[in-house]
Amino acid sequence: MDEKFNDFLKEQLKNPEFKAEYELLQPEHAVIQALIDARKQSGLTQKELAERTGIAQGDISKIEKGYANPSLRTLQRLALGMGMKLKIEFLPQNS
């Protein structure tokens, strides 16, 4: 993220309502970032991942931009297409 955005975000997070909503979205952002990181680690483009999984490249793009809410089945297909396993954890809230 660029510096201007980080400064803006820092300022917005001072608002308790904004902060609460932002924190609710963190798991979704974490999944998106994990998918992007895994795809890049695999050395694949979105198009190559689409060819391996049968999931449209446009749909992969939407997921990575946060415009789509993928099912667990879709995440599993993406993981397999990257030669990876999907792992989901439940952690204590205070961790």
Side-chain angles (χ1 to χ4, degrees):
M1 288 189 238
D2 72 14
E3 199 170 320
K4 284 183 182 181
F5 178 78
N6 284 337
D7 291 343
F8 173 77
L9 180 59
K10 225 183 263 187
E11 189 62 33
Q12 295 301 307
L13 288 172
K14 292 178 183 176
N15 176 325
E17 264 184 50
F18 180 91
K19 185 175 182 179
E21 287 297 318
Y22 182 80
E23 288 174 354
L24 285 174
L25 292 173
Q26 286 307 103
E28 189 174 326
H29 291 149
V31 168
I32 291 167
Q33 193 59 56
L35 172 60
I36 292 167
D37 292 346
R39 181 178 57 75
K40 288 181 178 178
Q41 181 184 1
S42 299
L44 298 171
T45 64
Q46 289 179 353
K47 183 179 179 186
E48 291 166 332
L49 184 56
E51 290 168 356
R52 286 184 177 199
T53 61
I55 298 169
Q57 185 270 327
D59 291 339
I60 294 171
S61 177
K62 287 177 187 174
I63 293 168
E64 289 188 1
K65 289 179 181 178
Y67 299 152
N69 189 5
S71 67
L72 285 175
R73 181 160 163 57
T74 297
L75 292 174
Q76 287 174 318
R77 287 174 61 194
L78 291 166
L80 286 172
M82 295 182 283
M84 298 183 175
K85 292 188 323 186
L86 177 66
K87 178 182 175 186
I88 297 174
E89 295 181 295
F90 288 89
L91 303 170
Q93 286 187 8
N94 58 358
S95 67

